[in-house]
Amino acid sequence: STMGFESYFLILEDLVSYAKACGVRVGAGRGSGVGSLILYLLGVTEIDPIKYKLSFERFLNPLRKEMPDVDLDFDSEGRHLVIDYAKSKYGAWPVATYSRYSHKTLVHDLAKYFHLPRDVEVVAADEGPDSEAFSRLAAKTPQFKAAYDAMDGQIRHIGQHAGGIIITNAEVPLERASDGSKVAAWTEGGNKELSKAGIVKFD
């Protein structure tokens, strides 16, 4: 309780209880969360950590400042019911996923845009930016290499995490995914934006 995660645990219990009441299959628990006796007593996990001598410190430790992470496994067919419930009750937002340009996808997209020869495009995409085929492709139009350099590694499209949501009363930056749905414009990727903002992802 000194770490202030009571609300997090109670929301987990509520989501799991709702899923079970709706007949959505729920996993017994996995990862470091199964080391928590509280989660077992709440019914979030179904594995007794004392009986199986599971380490609680892997899950939550006052010396480690990271937030707890509990992976909830819901039946893929009923998962949307739980997400809809979390949205209606807690104002949950789905988390964005970002697909970035790789060399291969960028070459294919630019070659299509500039109407470049398909045979050279395929080889250039497979062989990399230092290949002769890539140089031949780039020589077809002066804009190709400039566009490639500008777009390499940039976001190609924004998606919605299959099960990741955030629940918070803080203002959250939103953006539209490629399908038009609104998603939280934060991730737990390399920069861990969510954790830095003090928000944990329910996944």
Side-chain angles (χ1 to χ4, degrees):
S1 65
T2 58
M3 298 183 74
F5 295 130
E6 297 93 337
S7 296
Y8 175 62
F9 285 5
L10 291 173
I11 291 171
L12 288 170
E13 186 277 331
D14 185 40
L15 297 179
V16 170
S17 293
Y18 177 80
K20 290 177 178 177
C22 292
V24 178
R25 290 180 296 171
V26 182
R30 62 184 169 90
S32 60
V34 295
S36 170
L37 181 62
I38 297 293
L39 290 180
Y40 173 66
L41 295 174
L42 287 173
V44 175
T45 61
E46 297 178 3
I47 302 166
D48 184 344
I50 294 176
K51 178 179 178 181
Y52 294 102
K53 298 182 173 137
L54 301 174
S55 172
F56 175 75
E57 285 75 15
R58 281 188 60 238
F59 171 65
L60 197 61
N61 187 321
L63 298 177
R64 195 186 74 191
K65 299 304 179 186
E66 292 180 9
M67 303 177 100
D69 183 19
V70 178
D71 291 313
L72 299 176
D73 294 311
F74 296 120
D75 181 339
S76 59
E77 292 183 5
R79 183 188 303 140
H80 70 282
L81 295 174
V82 183
I83 293 173
D84 290 346
Y85 172 74
K87 186 165 187 177
S88 65
K89 183 167 182 178
Y90 299 107
W93 287 105
V95 176
T97 58
Y98 298 96
S99 174
R100 296 184 178 273
Y101 274 110
S102 66
H103 166 77
K104 184 172 277 194
T105 56
L106 183 52
V107 167
H108 286 312
D109 282 5
L110 289 177
K112 183 177 181 182
Y113 179 81
F114 289 117
H115 306 289
L116 301 180
R118 175 72 177 158
D119 58 336
V120 183
E121 167 200 335
V122 171
V123 178
D126 287 340
E127 292 189 355
D130 298 325
S131 66
E132 180 188 345
F134 182 82
S135 297
R136 281 194 290 125
L137 194 66
K140 300 288 183 185
T141 177
Q143 294 94 346
F144 181 91
K145 186 66 167 62
Y148 180 93
D149 290 340
M151 296 171 67
D152 187 26
Q154 298 298 317
I155 295 171
R156 186 171 188 255
H157 65 265
I158 302 169
Q160 179 175 316
H161 194 287
I165 59 172
I166 58 172
I167 297 172
T168 178
N169 54 11
E171 291 293 323
V172 175
L174 301 174
E175 61 186 328
R176 292 207 179 271
S178 300
D179 65 0
S181 61
K182 285 186 180 178
V183 293
W186 284 336
T187 70
E188 275 299 83
N191 294 327
K192 292 196 174 289
E193 294 100 333
L194 288 171
S195 292
K196 288 179 180 178
I199 295 172
V200 65
K201 175 167 63 76
F202 290 79
D203 189 4

